[in-house]
Amino acid sequence: MKTYNGGIRRPISLRGSRKAVALGMTAAAAFAAPAYAQQDATADEEEVQLDTLQIEDSAADVNPYTSPGAPYKARVSADPRRVKPLAETPATITVITETQMEEAGTTDLKEVLRLQPGVTIGTGENGNAFGDRYIIRGEEARSDVFVDGLRDPGMTTRESFAVDQVELTKGPSATFAGRGATGGAVNAITKQASTDYSFNKLDLGFGTDNFYRSTLDSNWALSENAAIRANLLYAKQDVPDRDPAYRERWGAAVSGSLQVSDAVRVVLDYYHLTAKDRPDLGVYVAASDENGYGQTFDDLPTYAQDEDFLESDVDTVTGRIFIEPMDGLKIVNSTRYGESNNGYMATGARGSSDGSSVGLSTHQGWQDVTYFVNQLNVIGSFDTGSVKHNLIVGSEYSDHKVTNGVYSYEVGGETNCVVSGRGGSRPGYCIIDENGQQIVSNDAISSLLQRSVTKGGWDSIWQVRTLSLYAMDTMDLTPWLSVNGGVRLDAIDFSLETSSASYTQSKSMWNGHAGVSLKPMEELMVYATWATAKNINGGESDLGSNCGYGGFCVDPVDPTEPGDPETSTSFEIGLKWDMFDDRLLLTAAAFQTTKNDVFELGSSDYDVAGHINTGKTRVKGIELGLVGNITERLSAQIGGSIMDAEVLESYNPANIGLTLANFADKQVTGQIRYQATEAFAIGATGTYKSAMYAGQPDSAASYNAAVGRYTFRVPSSTVFDAFAEYKFNQNFSMRVNVQNIGDEDYYTAAYRSGAFLYKGDERRGTVTLTGRF
């Protein structure tokens, strides 16, 4: 087995005690270059230690989880429960490092994940404009987002300014993640304070469409036992060619670390983000007819109103205690309390199938979230005879409460634009008349409605309390054979109060995983895994009793019966080939996930009409990946997936055989970087996604049997970005990014009725100046 040291700074969550560090440095000296074999052993040890310290100094302000000299390749997961390096972990885990995000010019988590194979972006009722929504391998994942291993609830906007890397696990992950995690889970790893030394990094960016972005990353090593790190953000940008839509962010993340003793370390983090946008719901797509797939109206003028907003305020405090009483034993206790307030008022378009008349509609709502979680992990490494164990025993208690409501508003502008997504009149046209003529100029469209908005009362209160217990073990039976497995129990207490009724349910859900890994060569691993995941009725917090989008499904036959949890089972076989001294990783996986007991809709949008637990779906496919250094100068992360989704069982026979909504069969993405000279580097990002079809989440895409086509089609797209970086010296550098260099019209998702067709950003150019001191 390999030993992974690499001479880089270890993250706080993975460091051992000082005694262990000293032993590790001594071991490194013992196996150093043979050229020093004749020198004094003490001198050898001191020299190697000095070399290691020098390398640590040069790497102290970069991602500590990457392989040395390969900034695109993460070496380890930051989750201490992933006890093996990623090259030896029997699962599909894609890691997007800080360097990749910076060079690609992606900032919001939604944009980071959109570029990954196997992931699509979804919409929701009223645009789901609370925040980000992800679909992994065809399954809903908007509630399966974690920060440093703790669930991050709420439909908030998520930024990358304080993130070291994003870990995307694909396939059912309930043993690690808990309820949900059907298609996978997302874990954002935040930057932590370091006692290595003090540093500052300042990024100043500016560009087209009034793009401004500034970040500051400062670490103060107060002593060899204490450190503080602060990350600050301010950013604002117009949406390219979609004025008056814009995005604005400001945030702060502060991390403190204190080494209380050789065995005890305490870490305290505070995070704040304010996001204020004027959202753009894009264009719309007409329904397919006998003449082909429905038209997408690329030239529809931007109709966002001056009073539109999408706002998120997030505040969290996290405390972690790391205790290592002896070699081979680590105790990690993490506690988080957080609050978020999210709200939106957005304008959508509704038009005729030929675009001859287009009207506007209003979509709005707010959400207040509070959450508390405590997680305890006890991690032990020990031997029983010739078998080496990495045993994890843990518990978690969480209390998540979400209050949803609506805004009250009055319209003071054009009377023929008084429309609402939650009731009210809806005229046939507003910005384009019945003759296809634009009624008002582009400059005047944004002031048509002149809404006055006040926050109204709540319409649902969703709360889930969960107590979880889990145990996992990875056993190395021989140097070439390992087996792993785990079980988890989630005891869930659910309550939902709406304006008209109250619902409760208590469920105990067992999940597990098991696998085997073979290493026919030291650098090559082949594996097979099995895993399960479950989610309760009403598991999505933002929908109340609206079953159509993940809310609580009420069976009119027996309103007190919540039904059984939806259950997913996955099988995956794969290989990982770690090459070039841990600097290039090749991966391949074939998988199949089957979801049983799916909640289905009945005759109306939000009632199941007795059809609880009647659905069954399957997603199968292959995924290939490459990440790391192909040559000394060429780095890359390239991935592709070919998948097939199918409804296997349904109360409605017409659904059987259809694909899932917002699901792309084929996806390819790649980011490459070429170091042309010591100072100059260039690179590019390319993404291809095949066509998708709108519909209810986690169910069959809408299908028009009369014409033999899916009803609302999101066209396939191919988008390229490019960047170039020049380092003036060790302290100053400049990077130029051009996103969507072909200025392509592309779309990321469609609403089930086609009324929203989210439009990807058009071409943008930016320049970022970086100073390190």
Side-chain angles (χ1 to χ4, degrees):
M1 304 293 288
K2 294 182 182 178
T3 38
Y4 290 86
N5 184 349
I8 66 169
R9 170 176 61 108
R10 289 181 64 78
I12 288 174
S13 61
L14 299 178
R15 291 180 189 174
S17 65
R18 295 186 178 185
K19 180 185 294 185
V21 171
L23 289 173
M25 295 174 74
T26 303
F31 292 97
Y36 298 102
Q38 302 302 318
Q39 297 181 12
D40 179 78
T42 303
D44 265 356
E45 181 174 317
E46 290 176 352
E47 184 165 332
V48 173
Q49 288 182 23
L50 290 173
D51 287 345
T52 301
L53 289 174
Q54 182 180 5
I55 296 172
E56 285 181 349
D57 283 352
S58 68
D61 60 343
V62 299
N63 182 356
Y65 309 100
T66 57
S67 296
Y72 281 12
K73 181 181 180 294
R75 178 178 59 85
V76 294
S77 167
D79 187 340
R81 296 173 299 179
R82 299 289 186 183
V83 296
K84 295 278 191 177
L86 291 171
E88 299 179 20
T89 299
T92 299
I93 302 178
T94 301
V95 177
I96 306 96
T97 67
E98 179 188 14
T99 300
Q100 285 178 262
M101 290 184 280
E102 288 181 346
E103 293 184 342
T106 51
T107 54
D108 283 3
L109 185 60
K110 178 170 63 177
E111 285 301 300
V112 174
L113 295 178
R114 182 186 64 81
L115 299 176
Q116 307 311 311
V119 180
T120 54
I121 305 299
T123 71
E125 178 60 45
N126 289 323
N128 193 35
F130 284 130
D132 302 339
R133 179 177 170 211
Y134 320 112
I135 299 169
I136 304 174
R137 289 185 175 175
E139 304 293 350
E140 184 72 60
R142 72 178 183 265
S143 294
D144 301 323
V145 181
F146 297 75
V147 175
D148 294 324
L150 301 177
R151 192 182 295 270
D152 186 45
M155 305 298 110
T156 64
T157 298
R158 296 176 173 93
E159 241 277 354
S160 64
F161 76 99
V163 173
D164 261 333
Q165 66 186 30
V166 175
E167 301 181 1
L168 172 59
T169 302
K170 299 172 186 175
S173 310
T175 316
F176 291 88
R179 69 172 188 86
T182 301
V186 180
N187 190 18
I189 308 303
T190 60
K191 298 177 180 179
Q192 300 176 350
S194 170
T195 57
D196 288 347
Y197 71 95
S198 300
F199 61 83
N200 300 278
K201 179 185 177 186
L202 176 65
D203 287 320
L204 299 175
F206 56 92
T208 59
D209 299 287
N210 296 315
F211 176 93
Y212 303 98
R213 181 178 176 87
S214 59
T215 61
L216 176 64
D217 183 0
S218 294
N219 185 82
W220 296 275
L222 305 179
S223 69
E224 65 176 7
N225 297 319
I228 296 176
R229 187 170 183 176
N231 283 269
L232 305 178
L233 162 74
Y234 177 75
K236 188 173 183 179
Q237 56 178 286
D238 294 338
V239 178
D241 294 327
R242 300 293 291 177
D243 184 68
Y246 69 86
R247 307 177 186 115
E248 187 175 13
R249 313 274 187 268
W250 57 90
V254 181
S255 173
S257 172
L258 177 63
Q259 186 80 39
V260 179
S261 67
D262 282 354
V264 180
R265 182 188 313 114
V266 178
V267 176
L268 184 64
D269 299 331
Y270 168 73
Y271 176 85
H272 171 80
L273 178 70
T274 293
K276 290 190 174 182
D277 298 355
R278 182 170 291 153
D280 172 33
L281 296 188
V283 295
Y284 76 93
V285 58
S288 301
D289 58 24
E290 62 274 7
N291 297 317
Y293 286 112
Q295 182 179 354
T296 59
F297 298 97
D298 302 332
D299 57 352
L300 188 69
T302 308
Y303 47 80
Q305 297 297 291
D306 293 335
E307 303 83 23
D308 287 357
F309 62 88
L310 166 57
E311 299 181 357
S312 294
D313 285 290
V314 182
D315 290 277
T316 64
V317 177
T318 306
R320 282 169 285 181
I321 301 175
F322 302 87
I323 304 174
E324 300 184 47
M326 64 183 69
D327 291 341
L329 179 62
K330 178 187 292 185
I331 302 170
V332 183
N333 186 254
S334 302
T335 302
R336 176 177 295 155
Y337 176 79
E339 296 181 354
S340 68
N341 308 105
N342 315 289
Y344 69 98
M345 177 76 66
T347 303
R350 298 174 185 269
S352 60
S353 61
D354 60 359
S356 61
S357 63
V358 178
L360 302 181
S361 55
T362 299
H363 310 276
Q364 49 88 12
W366 59 263
Q367 180 186 85
D368 293 340
V369 182
T370 61
Y371 54 102
F372 170 84
V373 60
N374 179 268
Q375 183 186 92
L376 174 67
N377 290 294
V378 180
I379 305 170
S381 298
F382 57 92
D383 296 335
T384 56
S386 61
V387 178
K388 179 178 177 59
H389 295 262
N390 286 285
L391 178 65
I392 303 160
V393 178
S395 66
E396 181 176 292
Y397 173 78
S398 63
D399 185 350
H400 296 163
K401 183 177 181 181
V402 180
T403 303
N404 298 297
V406 296
Y407 291 97
S408 299
Y409 66 94
E410 295 181 357
V411 176
E414 298 288 336
T415 57
N416 68 324
C417 285
V418 179
V419 291
S420 174
R422 292 190 174 184
S425 62
R426 183 171 295 128
Y429 58 88
C430 179
I431 59 176
I432 296 176
D433 66 18
E434 70 276 20
N435 299 314
Q437 301 298 313
Q438 189 167 320
I439 301 173
V440 292
S441 68
N442 288 350
D443 294 338
I445 289 178
S446 65
S447 60
L448 281 175
L449 300 188
Q450 299 178 22
R451 301 184 187 98
S452 59
V453 182
T454 57
K455 187 174 181 179
W458 63 271
D459 56 19
S460 70
I461 300 176
W462 177 100
Q463 187 169 14
V464 169
R465 298 182 177 93
T466 307
L467 176 62
S468 305
L469 302 172
Y470 51 87
M472 296 173 271
D473 194 11
T474 298
M475 295 173 284
D476 296 330
L477 305 180
T478 71
W480 52 269
L481 175 62
S482 297
V483 296
N484 66 87
V487 294
R488 180 177 180 125
L489 171 65
D490 292 296
I492 296 175
D493 183 14
F494 170 96
S495 66
L496 174 66
E497 183 178 358
T498 69
S499 57
S500 59
S502 297
Y503 310 95
T504 62
Q505 61 175 317
S506 296
K507 294 289 183 180
S508 294
M509 302 189 305
W510 286 94
N511 283 292
H513 74 270
V516 59
S517 304
L518 299 172
K519 298 193 71 175
M521 300 186 299
E522 182 180 3
E523 310 293 339
L524 177 65
M525 181 188 74
V526 294
Y527 66 89
T529 63
W530 164 88
T532 68
K534 294 184 177 72
N535 204 3
I536 57 172
N537 184 0
E540 303 299 341
S541 63
D542 57 328
L543 275 306
S545 59
N546 292 338
C547 175
Y549 266 85
F552 190 79
C553 298
V554 182
D555 187 343
V557 176
D558 184 0
T560 64
E561 174 52 52
D564 297 324
E566 295 179 327
T567 302
S568 298
T569 303
S570 177
F571 298 92
E572 179 171 311
I573 59 173
L575 66 84
K576 295 186 176 184
W577 193 0
D578 202 14
M579 305 171 66
F580 304 155
D581 195 24
D582 195 27
R583 297 195 178 190
L584 180 67
L585 179 63
L586 303 179
T587 61
F591 57 87
Q592 177 174 294
T593 301
T594 304
K595 187 175 182 180
N596 293 280
D597 299 321
V598 177
F599 294 96
E600 293 192 286
L601 292 175
S603 57
S604 69
D605 284 346
Y606 302 115
D607 294 328
V608 292
H611 302 299
I612 284 185
N613 296 138
T614 55
K616 181 178 181 180
T617 64
R618 181 184 65 203
V619 177
K620 59 183 178 180
I622 60 173
E623 182 167 336
L624 306 176
L626 175 154
V627 61
N629 291 359
I630 300 173
T631 69
E632 290 185 357
R633 294 183 178 271
L634 182 62
S635 302
Q637 183 173 67
I638 302 172
S641 61
I642 300 175
M643 301 185 293
D644 176 74
E646 183 179 359
V647 176
L648 301 179
E649 296 178 5
S650 175
Y651 82 95
N652 181 2
N655 290 335
I656 297 175
L658 299 181
T659 191
L660 294 176
N662 289 313
F663 176 86
D665 291 344
K666 301 178 182 65
Q667 300 180 60
V668 179
T669 186
Q671 182 171 338
I672 60 174
R673 181 184 194 276
Y674 182 71
Q675 191 73 41
T677 69
E678 186 176 344
F680 180 65
I682 57 174
T685 300
T687 304
Y688 166 78
K689 290 185 185 292
S690 61
M692 302 184 297
Y693 306 96
Q696 304 291 346
D698 296 341
S699 62
S702 298
Y703 190 78
N704 186 341
V707 298
R709 293 185 180 91
Y710 289 99
T711 309
F712 299 106
R713 179 177 182 262
V714 181
S716 63
S717 62
T718 303
V719 182
F720 292 99
D721 307 330
F723 65 88
E725 183 178 42
Y726 185 80
K727 293 185 178 180
F728 300 101
N729 52 47
Q730 65 179 357
N731 298 111
F732 295 99
S733 63
M734 179 180 71
R735 188 181 69 253
V736 177
N737 287 83
V738 181
Q739 295 176 304
N740 193 0
I741 58 179
D743 204 21
E744 298 291 328
D745 288 316
Y746 73 98
Y747 308 93
T748 60
Y751 183 56
R752 61 183 182 180
S753 67
F756 314 136
L757 184 62
Y758 288 175
K759 197 174 191 299
D761 283 0
E762 298 186 23
R763 183 191 294 125
R764 181 199 299 281
T766 62
V767 176
T768 302
L769 302 176
T770 299
R772 294 177 174 85
F773 49 94

